[in-house]
Amino acid sequence: MPGKTSGRLGNPRKEIKMSNIFSEFEIIEQHIKVAGEDTYEDMNCVGSSEEELAVRTITKKCRGRIRKKRTRGTGDGTLKESLHVPRTVYNKIYDMTREKLAKGVYAYGENSKHPEFSLTQKVLDEDENVKYKAYPRCILSSGPSRKIENGAEEVAELEMTIDLMPDENGECMYEALESELESEEIKQQWLTNFSLELVKAV
């Protein structure tokens, strides 16, 4: 029969359509906007990005045994990235600029207060289908972490741990497949002008 193959016991088995599965494979664009600024800046040199969104599980017991579970998102999470960061962006997200220091001198210490920022991404699967992603409220939960290895054949990437926080809608991540978007405005504006107003249902 069309669309079916036989299993090991000879029973008909539906053929899996891999074209219906989107597996995140590569980030080809990433942009950042620090709180208080008007525009997104490129931060495209991403080696890896690992996302974990938090959940809360509530259980209901009867006679000492779990009879019911309900799991729901909490609106927060973590993003761990290995990447190369433009110097200007690096100084901003770690708050290293000091008015009392000479031009070109930056510092990190007890006066550094990490600002919030937004991240947007353009992600491909193995067939180069496009997914747009956005993290509207982010903050670094780790300090500067750098490694120098003399004689190394590859320049080490920076390791960053980013906390994701809920926005006014209680969401910490948004995503959309390009093939499912009807609005050309959303496609064009997502990466450099993402906002809740942009993705709101009309």
Side-chain angles (χ1 to χ4, degrees):
M1 296 177 63
K4 293 186 178 181
T5 58
S6 296
R8 286 185 296 175
L9 299 178
N11 297 322
R13 183 173 57 194
K14 283 190 176 181
E15 193 173 304
I16 299 174
K17 293 184 178 181
M18 297 301 291
S19 60
N20 294 333
I21 302 172
F22 188 99
S23 301
E24 296 180 358
F25 179 68
E26 182 181 11
I27 297 173
I28 60 168
E29 287 188 50
Q30 180 167 266
H31 304 268
I32 182 171
K33 183 174 76 170
V34 179
E37 301 202 346
D38 297 324
T39 59
Y40 280 84
E41 298 181 70
D42 294 347
M43 197 166 67
N44 296 326
C45 293
V46 181
S48 67
S49 183
E50 180 182 347
E51 169 196 278
E52 183 174 357
L53 306 183
V55 298
R56 179 187 179 198
T57 300
I58 300 172
T59 60
K60 190 174 187 178
K61 293 183 178 180
C62 179
R63 297 178 183 176
R65 298 180 63 183
I66 296 175
R67 302 292 184 179
K68 186 178 180 181
K69 281 189 178 183
R70 289 292 181 268
T71 300
R72 62 185 302 172
T74 61
D76 59 348
T78 304
L79 196 65
K80 295 180 180 179
E81 292 201 337
S82 299
L83 69 169
H84 294 294
V85 182
R87 180 66 176 169
T88 54
V89 174
Y90 187 92
N91 291 337
K92 290 176 187 176
I93 59 179
Y94 283 114
D95 189 20
M96 296 178 64
T97 302
R98 302 286 183 270
E99 292 182 358
K100 295 181 180 180
L101 295 179
K103 185 177 180 180
V105 179
Y106 300 89
Y108 185 87
E110 63 180 23
N111 294 314
S112 297
K113 183 180 179 182
H114 296 184
E116 286 190 24
F117 56 89
S118 303
L119 280 179
T120 59
Q121 295 177 342
K122 186 176 184 180
V123 181
L124 302 182
D125 70 1
E126 70 279 9
D127 294 317
E128 298 191 347
N129 297 306
V130 174
K131 177 192 278 187
Y132 297 106
K133 301 190 73 171
Y135 305 95
R137 292 189 64 211
C138 307
I139 194 165
L140 288 173
S141 60
S142 60
S145 178
R146 294 172 281 196
K147 179 181 178 181
I148 299 173
E149 182 180 349
N150 289 344
E153 295 182 357
E154 182 178 351
V155 179
E157 295 175 325
L158 298 175
E159 304 289 334
M160 288 186 174
T161 301
I162 302 167
D163 280 351
L164 309 176
M165 299 174 289
D167 62 11
E168 60 190 70
N169 289 337
E171 318 288 6
C172 65
M173 185 277 294
Y174 294 81
E175 64 177 30
L177 293 181
E178 185 177 60
S179 60
E180 295 178 352
L181 286 173
E182 296 179 348
S183 170
E184 288 299 321
E185 181 184 9
I186 293 178
K187 295 178 187 179
Q188 294 169 7
Q189 298 293 323
W190 186 290
L191 294 173
T192 57
N193 198 26
F194 181 86
S195 67
L196 298 185
E197 192 64 32
L198 176 68
V199 297
K200 187 181 296 183
V202 179

